[in-house]
Amino acid sequence: MMTSNIAESLNAALKAARNLPIDILVECLRSLVQKWDWNNSNNANRTLTKVSTTTENELRHGIISKMKYKVFPFNPIKYQVRDEKGTNFTVNIHNKTCTCNRFQEDKMPCGHAVAVIAKRNLGVYDYCAKFYKT
Ligand SMILES: [Zn+2]
């Protein structure tokens, strides 16, 4: 049972453990707070990884177009991305920039950045600005 008062919530959750020895009661309390913290963290992260439908469609377009791109790392942060026409772009994954300028202007990975993100097995949503997230 959850109430707005943390003491009431703890009392309700620990009702069965109240008659146990103090060390077991403390362990129950610790595991209860750990479980709440885990659930709250997961809920917060799940909320932050959702993006709007329009953003999702644009990212999917980037993912489809990146399949034609070749990625050459300069270092773990900076990459050269060559498109199907042979044009080169430079993506800085740390600064969230690309020489096509879409990454920094849209605050969302362009196709070149998506290619780098996919190559490094990173989360594409982590590179979207918060205002795209629901
Ligand atoms: Zn780009």
Side-chain angles (χ1 to χ4, degrees):
M1 175 161 81
M2 294 295 288
T3 67
S4 60
N5 183 340
I6 186 72
E8 293 293 324
S9 296
L10 286 172
N11 273 337
L14 294 172
K15 196 172 189 176
R18 270 191 226 154
N19 295 328
L20 296 172
I22 187 71
D23 55 338
I24 296 173
L25 178 65
V26 169
E27 178 55 25
C28 287
L29 185 61
R30 188 203 59 76
S31 66
L32 178 69
V33 171
Q34 181 182 348
K35 188 172 114 188
W36 286 351
D37 186 52
W38 176 255
N39 289 338
N40 289 341
S41 296
N42 280 343
N43 288 339
N45 287 335
R46 200 174 307 127
T47 303
L48 282 175
T49 56
K50 290 180 181 172
V51 294
S52 70
T53 308
T54 308
T55 306
E56 184 73 37
N57 289 337
E58 289 186 37
L59 286 171
R60 283 179 194 276
H61 175 75
I63 289 167
I64 290 167
S65 64
K66 70 95 182 159
M67 291 189 287
K68 303 168 196 159
Y69 296 166
K70 295 194 179 339
V71 177
F72 307 98
F74 290 121
N75 57 47
I77 294 170
K78 207 170 178 183
Y79 295 83
Q80 180 184 41
V81 179
R82 185 172 299 146
D83 68 10
E84 66 277 6
K85 295 173 188 164
T87 308
N88 291 318
F89 297 88
T90 303
V91 174
N92 185 317
I93 205 71
H94 180 72
N95 293 341
K96 300 180 180 176
T97 59
C98 178
T99 50
C100 77
N101 291 326
R102 281 201 58 202
F103 197 5
Q104 54 271 35
E105 287 177 5
D106 294 348
K107 307 287 185 207
M108 179 172 66
C110 59
H112 315 112
V114 170
V116 172
I117 290 166
K119 185 172 181 80
R120 290 198 52 200
N121 291 322
L122 300 171
V124 72
Y125 300 128
D126 296 337
Y127 292 89
C128 295
K130 283 187 177 178
F131 52 76
Y132 288 117
K133 297 175 181 171
T134 55

